Amino acid sequence: MNTIKKNTKPTLLSGIQPSGNLALGNYIGAMRNWVSLQKDYNGIFIVVDMHAITVKQEPAQLRKRCLSFAAQYLAAGIDPQENIIFMQSHVPQHAELAWVLNCYTYLGELNRMTQFKDKSKRHNDNINAGLYTYPALMAADILLYQTDLVPVGADQKQHLELTRDLAMRFNNAFSPTFKVPEPFIPKEGARIMSLQEPEKKMSKSDSNENNYIALLDPPDVLVRKIKRAVTDSGREITPDSMKNPGTGNLLTLFAVLSELTPKQTIQRFEGKQYSELKDELADALIAFLEPFQKRYDKILSEKDYLTNILEEGAEKAQYIARKTLSKVYRKIGFVAPGRS
Ligand code: TRP
């Protein structure tokens, strides 16, 4: 009997802005979850280049970084056979749906977005309209694909709430059109903090490169960054070290890389000097990142390989996106092309 297996897996979608260098925080907070969830979901992973230009970018660098990010998604273990990986700007439906959603988003909603407020402070010479309406573009990214689950960091929760509100608003105003997505926010436990200022999150867009571990940092840079990382003024690891922002962050990093619980990590280091923790952590980082970097180099050395994956990804994405967008256009009253 000819049985066609129906694909019933739910859809998972996420994206990272190609700004700065992908950092260990991105891997632990996001990409690692993408990889572990991919067998149970249809994964859609986007390099959101259109979001990146809401702050100033140098064109040559942006171009290079976009490809580098896609290669790093693959190097992290996203299987291009099983998932859709593409550049946002290769799928014009994102901009198109974003426009429609802009017309259903209230200024009051955008005014509340904390990321807009933060970024306007940090880039106060360039508070542009795109930065302001960016949440509508993000909602379009998600809603085009009838997404079930969106794994994001806690800082994106507000944008996801707005996405859900927009989906419900549209569905109520017309008829069910969009699936209302659920956020997937990893547990606080594994939050990786800045190496120099451990009160704030490790961020790839940090202006101080010593604050984060880039996934592509070579071994000597890794060693240097860990050596310079701040700890408290003590010398030896005690059970209380976990509570100190700097020392605790290094212990957490070690725990995550070695798949140990915080308790096991303390047991392992109790009574040891901070310098020993740093040496062991640097070794663990190198061992962890080396195979990743090898895979990355291999992917980039086969130029067509990546180009083909992105081309295929954009095609598959457009196929889904077109369906949603044409429904939207019909419901809001646009005349279908070729039919008057
Ligand atoms: N706004 C997200 C961030 O800054 C990136 C992003 C854009 C995204 N579109 C998305 C994340 C869709 C998840 C789903 O981190």
Side-chain angles (χ1 to χ4, degrees):
M1 206 174 68
N2 184 14
T3 48
I4 296 169
K5 235 198 198 160
K6 195 153 185 289
N7 188 344
T8 48
K9 285 186 193 171
T11 295
L12 172 139
L13 179 145
S14 199
I16 300 182
Q17 289 193 55
S19 54
N21 301 309
L22 274 177
L24 194 63
N26 296 108
Y27 179 79
I28 291 168
M31 294 156 83
R32 187 174 60 147
N33 297 317
W34 301 358
V35 174
S36 65
L37 291 166
Q38 68 180 334
K39 54 181 182 329
D40 300 320
Y41 289 85
N42 290 316
I44 301 183
F45 302 105
I46 320 176
V47 178
V48 287
D49 50 0
M50 293 166 69
H51 283 266
I53 61 162
T54 55
V55 303
K56 279 196 197 110
Q57 301 290 343
E58 208 277 299
Q61 265 183 22
L62 178 62
R63 198 171 354 261
K64 213 171 143 201
R65 207 185 296 125
C66 284
L67 288 173
S68 171
F69 271 45
Q72 289 180 73
Y73 287 9
L74 296 170
I78 307 282
D79 179 354
Q81 303 297 319
E82 300 287 331
N83 302 281
I84 305 180
I85 302 171
F86 66 98
M87 298 286 166
Q88 187 183 26
S89 64
H90 292 180
V91 181
Q93 288 79 11
H94 289 250
E96 294 178 292
L97 181 60
W99 176 254
V100 176
L101 294 177
N102 263 317
C103 298
Y104 293 89
T105 307
Y106 302 115
L107 296 190
E109 292 177 307
L110 296 176
N111 288 336
R112 283 202 295 274
M113 296 293 136
T114 53
Q115 194 178 48
F116 172 69
K117 291 187 228 172
D118 288 349
K119 285 202 177 177
S120 324
K121 265 188 223 144
R122 274 191 282 140
H123 305 276
N124 64 3
D125 57 337
N126 182 23
I127 306 179
N128 62 76
L131 189 62
Y132 186 62
T133 61
Y134 156 132
L137 178 60
M138 176 161 163
D141 299 341
I142 297 167
L143 299 179
L144 274 175
Y145 302 95
Q146 307 296 343
T147 303
D148 295 277
L149 197 67
V150 186
V152 281
D155 62 326
Q156 295 298 315
K157 200 165 173 234
Q158 214 183 11
H159 291 158
L160 214 70
E161 279 303 317
L162 179 66
T163 303
R164 289 169 55 86
D165 289 346
L166 286 172
M168 290 187 269
R169 185 172 306 155
F170 194 96
N171 290 348
N172 287 334
F174 303 97
S175 58
T177 309
F178 297 123
K179 191 166 260 177
V180 181
E182 295 291 335
F184 174 88
I185 296 175
K187 288 189 276 328
E188 275 294 305
R191 239 166 93 95
I192 303 302
M193 311 306 282
S194 155
L195 297 176
Q196 303 280 322
E197 297 161 74
E199 307 74 35
K200 59 179 206 188
K201 199 175 91 161
M202 181 182 284
S203 162
K204 67 180 163 53
S205 340
D206 203 307
S207 52
N208 178 0
E209 291 202 355
N210 285 323
N211 274 340
Y212 64 87
I213 301 285
L215 296 179
L216 297 176
D217 276 343
D220 57 319
V221 174
L222 293 171
V223 170
R224 198 186 64 223
K225 285 183 177 177
I226 294 300
K227 280 221 165 92
R228 288 190 188 165
V230 301
T231 53
D232 56 282
S233 56
R235 301 195 46 171
E236 265 178 22
I237 311 286
T238 69
D240 272 349
S241 302
M242 210 47 139
K243 293 192 200 116
N244 175 266
T247 319
N249 189 36
L250 298 182
L251 286 164
T252 302
L253 259 175
F254 189 89
V256 169
L257 294 176
S258 320
E259 294 181 21
L260 296 176
T261 63
K263 210 169 152 199
Q264 288 168 326
T265 313
I266 288 283
Q267 275 165 0
R268 179 182 168 129
F269 285 105
E270 196 170 351
K272 290 196 183 177
Q273 308 278 311
Y274 290 175
S275 58
E276 278 177 77
L277 167 63
K278 286 185 167 184
D279 288 345
E280 287 203 39
L281 176 57
D283 286 346
L285 269 172
I286 293 168
F288 178 76
L289 289 176
E290 218 169 35
F292 171 86
Q293 294 173 359
K294 279 219 178 91
R295 286 193 295 272
Y296 173 81
D297 289 339
K298 183 154 187 295
I299 291 161
L300 280 193
S301 70
E302 301 161 30
K303 196 79 211 276
D304 288 347
Y305 176 70
L306 186 57
T307 315
N308 290 341
I309 287 174
L310 292 174
E311 208 172 22
E312 213 174 284
E315 225 168 84
K316 288 188 200 154
Q318 282 193 32
Y319 179 79
I320 308 170
R322 266 200 300 266
K323 275 201 217 165
T324 304
L325 188 70
S326 65
K327 268 192 216 162
V328 168
Y329 277 5
R330 184 161 41 81
K331 295 196 188 191
I332 60 178
F334 288 175
V335 174
R339 237 179 278 166
S340 49

